[in-house]
Amino acid sequence: MSEDRILKLDRRNGLSRRTTLKGLGAAAGLIAAPGFVRYGQAQSSAPIKIGFQCHRTGIGAAYGRWYERVTAAAAKRINDAGGINGRPLEIVIEDDGTDPKRGAEVVEKFANQHKVDLVYGTLFSHVVVGSAPAAGELKIPYYVVSEGYHVASGKLNRYCVQPGITDVKAQVRSVAPWIAGNLGKKVTLVYPDYAFGHDHRDFFEPAIKAQGGEVVAKVPIPPTETSFTRYFPQIPSDTDVIYHVMVGPAVLTFVKELGEFFGSGGPQLFGFIDSLEAVDIKSPGLEFLEGSHFWEGMPRYAQPDQPDYVTAYREAVGIDENGASTGDAKDISTAAHMFGCWETLNIIKASMEACGYRGPEDRAAMIEATEAMTEMEAGPDHPQGKKLFNGKTHQVFGEQSISQVSDGKLKVVHRTSIEDGSYEPEADYTTMSF
Amino acid sequence: MSDRRDATSLFASLFVGIFFSLMWCSRAFAHASDRGHVLLLPTHYYLFGGMLAVALSFLVLVFLPPEGLLRLSSQRLPIARIRFDGRGFVSCLSALFLAGLIYTGFAGSRDPLSNPLPLTVWTLLWVGLTLFQGLAGNIWAWLNPWYGPWRLILRLGVPSRGFLRLPRAIGMIPAVLLLFAFAWFELIYPAPDDPARLAIAVLTYWVFSMLGAVIFGYHGWSRRVEFLTIFFTMISRLSLFSLRRETGRSRVLFVGVPGHKLRDTAALPLSGILFLLLALSSVSFDGFMRTFLWLGAIGVNPLEFPGRSAVVLPNTIGLLSMFAALCTAFLLAVRAGNALAGGEPPRRAAGHLVWSIIPIALAYHFSHYLVAFAINSQYALSALSDPLMQGWDLFGTADMYVQAGVALGAESAWKIWNAQAFAIIGGHVFAIIVAHMIAHRLYGGRKRAGLSQIPLAVLMVLYTVFGLWLLSAPTGG
């Protein structure tokens, strides 16, 4: 049953039938082999069912495609190693259309119709915020992979956790010390004038001040803007660093016009790869980024000194040295975020094993087991790096990469520490009842 | 002979002109997948070039003797004799296939990109079959899932003309309403791809239409109510091929120039005009509703699209408004053309001239759905090979790797944009030619025909620019 489901999931990702069958064969062999008794000894061999709330259609579809590929690869790895508590993992996909209302419907369907053990995998913040109340009411664990600050802010409920990816507040804070120490202390912020940009503005300003730096100007850009040159004169001439977080279809135009405005000089640039996730850095228009720096959750390009488990992870999820699909060089992955699916599934496994999860009656125990987690070492289960989970805020904190564009590729020049990004807990979900 | 050469050289010079205007741009920008790359392309030259190409083709037609064109369009070459009528049999197979698809909608994967039902309906049927019909002819007459079952039902003693008559006065109004419902479901309903919901919709419509064909007779029903048959039949009038009944079951397959069947097609009633314009306006609105302009107008941040469920009402109003605007513009253009031509206006001019919209509708269909078709047709091939996710590999395509890269990156964006622009401009030029031929028949005389077409040509020039702008404007949502 579970093998069928994983087969189905793998297939949709284009993993070859042969590979899939080989994996299945290996798993089947393990059950029969002397000394391997995990499936055999389990009280129940019924699959653990995980509802994958996937952005299959709508604005999140490009991310959804990669979240699904990584989920399939991580589930296969878990099953090949004997499943969870000796039970195979089964992934059930529902498309939420990247729509909060549908997101809530999907959570309800997972709980009542598919009767899954938990819901997992949501990326877009508005879908997380729209779906979380349903998860709370239905008392079903909701493991999100969204990098939003909404979990740590305490706005959600006890069933919502984000253990596989650092939130945006910590990401922003973590890069401030390196910027102040290496690029300069006078920073101008250029950001889209709505919640996403405001988060960056509000999180970065105190963080850079704490490093002895200052924000010398803030340049908010209306979200519907597609031409940017007229905003650039607002950038003070004594700016050391432009911190930019533009998103949307006009990002390439933004970079091109920035290049035209500053020519060969101008301040240093520091950006968030969110702007160019799944976009080829070598695209026409992005030439001005050469030499500039970016935050990356996990490096898109293979690094010469990367550990073996990173290489194994990249092979498993099917990305080449440029971070593109191994079967399609033009299909650039969402490398900076999708590792969160891999890590979250491993944390789900660890939590279920820690609490001896048997079925929905143990959902609360599972959340408590996740809350009890603290340090997670970098390794095959956590290829992005070392992490520290805060049980009170239900949010994980991790190391981040700062990369420089060099010959059209991103080369990691610094790894931030967990302490660089961490902040005092602003919520305590553990005091909330189930 | 010389006339034919004139017409051929006219076609050639128009297309060569467009081709070179595009190539000139390509030198300036050799390379761009999604809208971000397109925003860096010199699309404004295309808008200008497209406007010029359509306007010039109108002028050329006005000053060129029409006889060659008319003769060329009347040429038909018989290429095959078909001695059997397999429509009933193929249609029954198609109905069985549809039943299987509906079953997979309920029992197959919940993933809309793994379940063959949404992929077949939205990608293979609505996009793929439409394009096929426009190029190759009315294969829907064979594939539609009602004709065969209806023939079987006739054997039970049901009269072929049905039991009741549809009132003449309603014309194609039921089909207009159904096409609107279909467009609304596709563009505005929050979950048209959800396999189970789509299965309910498809099953309901199949039963509804089957009952209609039995009660009112298949032929009456499929000409006035069943919107898919009406739409596909209209589109197929653009195709190269036509089928003529000879004697008994024997029919002859002819080939002619594209659009040769549009020249002397009977006038559509007002409801038919509305139907065709609704088809075009729904595809146009599908593009328009994603633009920053529209999202800004309805107060939605395009960088933070809240999901379809949040924009149901404004988009419903938007779809209706676009339909109303296009109908008004078209009918006013025909009316103004009558006034300019002077003399007694021909009967049902709008009903005749609306056939010239077909090439534009097909061009919009191609350009608008090109990217989705390039990717989702691959998912469809994979899903059809293993429809119930049982590990089958019926066609050897279950494990094919879906190449999303065909539509990604600067280079793909460049190629896709050129293909889209070429189709939009070419479709409008073609529409101008068709309208011109129809006008000659309606108004008689070069001068009257030319004058009558000025307002419609202006509309088509504007719609060319609008179409190119839709494909090059920044989008969210």
Side-chain angles (χ1 to χ4, degrees):
Chain A
M1 176 67 188
S2 68
E3 287 85 352
D4 276 353
R5 294 303 304 183
I6 292 308
L7 169 71
K8 292 161 193 172
L9 193 60
D10 285 352
R11 271 214 176 164
R12 303 276 78 83
N13 296 308
L15 297 180
S16 82
R17 169 187 279 270
R18 194 163 296 163
T19 310
T20 311
L21 291 175
K22 193 174 154 194
L24 290 174
L30 286 176
I31 300 169
F36 190 88
V37 289
R38 296 183 71 180
Y39 274 3
Q41 271 188 351
Q43 289 176 340
S44 163
S45 62
I48 301 270
K49 288 173 80 170
I50 294 185
F52 177 21
Q53 188 184 36
C54 186
H55 304 326
R56 211 63 171 123
T57 58
I59 53 167
Y63 277 94
R65 191 168 69 241
W66 280 102
Y67 266 43
E68 193 219 356
R69 286 173 177 167
V70 175
T71 298
K76 181 175 184 299
R77 174 175 171 266
I78 290 172
N79 277 346
D80 286 353
I84 297 177
N85 281 335
R87 293 166 62 187
L89 193 59
E90 176 182 332
I91 306 287
V92 182
I93 294 185
E94 279 277 351
D95 172 34
D96 60 21
T98 328
D99 181 324
K101 190 160 171 271
R102 280 187 69 193
E105 288 169 11
V106 161
V107 169
E108 200 179 327
K109 201 174 220 174
F110 276 138
N112 298 331
Q113 195 174 315
H114 298 301
K115 304 208 181 298
V116 300
D117 291 282
L118 59 96
V119 181
Y120 141 94
T122 326
L123 167 64
F124 273 57
S125 295
H126 64 309
V127 184
V128 170
V129 173
S131 306
E137 283 166 27
L138 294 161
K139 300 186 184 304
I140 189 163
Y142 187 41
Y143 284 71
V144 301
V145 191
S146 104
E147 79 173 0
Y149 169 61
H150 36 66
V151 179
S153 70
K155 284 181 190 159
L156 305 184
N157 56 64
R158 194 155 182 192
Y159 285 92
C160 305
V161 284
Q162 183 153 254
I165 186 165
T166 307
D167 71 312
V168 65
K169 181 168 181 173
Q171 290 169 1
V172 170
R173 292 173 62 86
S174 69
V175 299
W178 188 86
I179 292 175
N182 296 275
L183 300 181
K185 292 194 176 348
K186 292 182 174 175
V187 183
T188 292
L189 305 180
V190 183
Y191 55 94
D193 194 10
Y194 72 99
F196 170 78
H198 298 167
D199 277 353
H200 275 270
R201 176 195 65 193
D202 299 343
F203 298 147
F204 186 75
E205 193 167 10
I208 197 76
K209 269 188 186 161
Q211 301 299 324
E214 62 172 322
V215 171
V216 292
K218 297 172 196 168
V219 184
I221 311 269
T224 49
E225 191 58 88
T226 54
S227 180
F228 307 93
T229 307
R230 65 197 172 100
Y231 296 94
F232 296 149
Q234 295 177 39
I235 299 170
S237 57
D238 62 345
T239 297
D240 296 323
V241 190
I242 295 174
Y243 176 106
H244 60 98
V245 286
M246 299 304 293
V247 290
V251 169
L252 282 81
T253 310
F254 169 76
V255 173
K256 181 170 171 277
E257 291 180 358
L258 204 59
E260 288 163 355
F261 185 81
F262 285 111
S264 56
Q268 298 277 352
L269 294 181
F270 188 93
F272 267 64
I273 201 65
D274 301 45
S275 303
L276 294 168
E277 190 78 312
V279 176
D280 190 348
I281 305 291
K282 287 183 175 168
S283 296
L286 297 183
E287 295 82 1
F288 189 59
L289 293 177
E290 184 68 20
S292 77
H293 293 83
F294 277 96
W295 163 90
E296 287 191 288
M298 188 166 185
R300 176 190 297 185
Y301 293 84
Q303 303 296 313
D305 55 347
Q306 72 188 16
D308 290 345
Y309 55 80
V310 171
T311 306
Y313 159 81
R314 294 176 70 99
E315 277 176 14
V317 302
I319 56 173
D320 64 16
E321 59 179 17
N322 296 321
S325 166
T326 45
D328 185 356
K330 288 203 287 187
D331 189 1
I332 312 289
S333 69
T334 56
H337 299 86
M338 67 191 195
F339 70 87
C341 293
W342 179 282
E343 299 209 4
T344 303
L345 278 179
N346 287 316
I347 289 158
I348 288 170
K349 175 182 185 312
S351 301
M352 285 184 158
E353 289 178 346
C355 73
Y357 185 88
R358 291 160 299 173
E361 69 274 18
D362 292 329
R363 281 171 175 164
M366 184 188 171
I367 292 289
E368 286 175 329
T370 304
E371 286 171 348
M373 290 182 168
T374 52
E375 287 190 14
M376 305 167 189
E377 287 305 320
D381 286 353
H382 301 286
Q384 186 265 348
K386 190 179 167 185
K387 307 249 167 7
L388 182 66
F389 186 71
N390 188 315
K392 287 182 177 176
T393 58
H394 283 193
Q395 178 60 52
V396 82
F397 297 89
E399 300 168 342
Q400 311 297 319
S401 294
I402 292 173
S403 305
Q404 185 172 26
V405 181
S406 171
D407 293 330
K409 295 184 176 186
L410 287 156
K411 188 180 168 192
V412 177
V413 294
H414 178 69
R415 288 279 286 177
T416 70
S417 71
I418 292 176
E419 293 70 33
D420 286 337
S422 59
Y423 51 89
E424 285 301 309
E426 292 156 24
D428 187 355
Y429 285 109
T430 61
T431 59
M432 293 182 185
S433 69
F434 282 105
Chain B
M1 187 66 195
S2 66
D3 287 341
R4 195 183 302 172
R5 213 167 34 237
D6 284 349
T8 314
S9 63
L10 167 69
F11 273 99
S13 59
L14 287 175
F15 282 99
V16 166
I18 296 165
F19 182 72
F20 274 102
S21 68
L22 299 182
M23 284 302 104
W24 178 73
C25 298
S26 81
R27 297 229 172 98
F29 261 85
H31 288 282
S33 68
D34 46 356
R35 213 38 82 87
H37 297 296
V38 175
L39 290 178
L40 290 181
L41 296 175
T43 52
H44 51 290
Y45 289 136
Y46 285 68
L47 266 66
F48 184 69
M51 186 174 80
L52 222 57
V54 178
L56 278 175
S57 39
F58 173 70
L59 286 176
V60 169
L61 286 167
V62 167
F63 293 108
L64 201 78
E67 290 75 18
L69 205 57
L70 292 169
R71 189 170 301 174
L72 181 68
S73 67
S74 64
Q75 298 293 324
R76 290 187 174 99
L77 288 174
I79 51 170
R81 176 163 282 117
I82 300 173
R83 298 185 189 281
F84 63 96
D85 182 358
R87 279 183 302 163
F89 177 71
V90 174
S91 170
C92 282
L93 288 181
S94 179
L96 283 175
F97 179 68
L98 183 69
L101 279 179
I102 292 170
Y103 178 74
T104 64
F106 289 119
S109 170
R110 297 284 315 144
D111 174 5
L113 295 182
S114 303
N115 192 304
L117 178 68
L119 290 163
T120 303
V121 170
W122 299 124
T123 303
L124 300 185
L125 182 82
W126 185 233
V127 182
L129 188 65
T130 302
L131 297 178
F132 188 89
Q133 291 273 125
L135 294 173
N138 195 6
I139 197 175
W140 177 252
W142 296 59
L143 285 181
N144 90 71
W146 294 284
Y147 179 72
W150 172 74
R151 290 282 298 270
L152 290 179
I153 292 170
L154 289 190
R155 295 188 181 187
L156 301 174
V158 170
S160 67
R161 289 169 61 83
F163 301 98
L164 298 170
R165 295 284 159 270
L166 286 162
R168 261 193 110 67
I170 62 168
M172 293 182 183
I173 289 172
V176 175
L177 297 176
L178 284 169
L179 178 62
F180 182 82
F182 174 83
W184 187 89
F185 184 71
E186 184 205 3
L187 306 180
I188 294 161
Y189 180 70
D193 286 305
D194 183 280
R197 295 189 209 189
L198 183 59
I200 292 170
V202 172
L203 180 60
T204 307
Y205 183 64
W206 186 85
V207 171
F208 165 76
S209 224
M210 196 70 250
L211 287 174
V214 171
I215 294 169
F216 297 102
Y218 177 81
H219 295 292
W221 184 260
S222 61
R223 280 173 194 150
R224 294 162 71 186
V225 184
E226 206 290 282
F227 72 97
L228 286 172
T229 301
I230 295 171
F231 176 75
F232 286 134
T233 309
M234 284 178 171
I235 288 290
S236 72
R237 291 197 175 273
L238 189 62
S239 75
L240 302 167
F241 303 99
S242 54
L243 210 53
R244 289 280 168 95
R245 189 178 288 275
E246 258 189 344
T247 50
R249 289 192 158 191
S250 177
R251 285 173 301 165
V252 179
L253 185 66
F254 290 92
V255 65
V257 293
H260 70 276
K261 289 182 284 183
L262 286 173
R263 207 187 65 147
D264 41 24
T265 308
L268 280 174
L270 179 62
S271 52
I273 297 171
L274 298 181
F275 183 90
L276 199 42
L277 294 175
L278 176 60
L280 177 58
S281 44
S282 71
V283 181
S284 307
F285 186 69
D286 193 8
F288 186 63
M289 72 181 185
R290 295 164 212 275
T291 61
F292 277 26
L293 182 70
W294 173 250
L295 292 169
I298 61 172
V300 167
N301 175 357
L303 302 183
E304 202 177 33
F305 183 68
R308 277 186 169 213
S309 57
V311 292
V312 170
L313 182 63
N315 277 1
T316 305
I317 295 169
L319 176 60
L320 281 168
S321 305
M322 180 152 287
F323 175 45
L326 186 59
C327 290
T328 309
F330 178 79
L331 293 172
L332 283 178
V334 173
R335 198 167 189 166
N338 279 339
L340 278 176
E344 183 72 16
R347 287 190 65 230
R348 309 178 77 178
H352 285 286
L353 285 166
V354 77
W355 286 109
S356 65
I357 297 294
I358 296 276
I360 301 176
L362 193 71
Y364 263 69
H365 222 82
F366 168 82
S367 301
H368 189 77
Y369 294 119
L370 179 60
V371 171
F373 185 76
I375 296 173
N376 288 355
S377 59
Q378 298 179 60
Y379 277 109
L381 280 178
S382 175
L384 284 167
S385 212
D386 184 13
L388 292 169
M389 305 286 271
Q390 295 296 321
W392 303 344
D393 195 5
L394 300 176
F395 310 113
T397 52
D399 298 320
M400 69 180 278
Y401 191 91
V402 172
Q403 300 276 331
V406 296
L408 298 172
E411 202 180 325
S412 301
W414 166 246
K415 290 177 184 164
I416 289 167
W417 163 255
N418 275 293
Q420 291 171 322
F422 192 81
I424 291 285
I425 298 169
H428 282 81
V429 168
F430 201 51
I432 290 266
I433 296 171
V434 172
H436 199 72
M437 289 194 297
I438 295 171
H440 265 279
R441 183 160 55 89
L442 286 180
Y443 296 91
R446 210 186 327 168
K447 189 181 170 198
R448 255 192 106 206
L451 285 171
S452 77
Q453 290 307 290
I454 292 172
L456 199 57
V458 170
L459 180 61
M460 287 182 183
V461 167
L462 292 176
Y463 220 72
T464 308
V465 175
F466 178 62
L468 292 172
W469 175 81
L470 281 182
L471 294 163
S472 59
T475 53

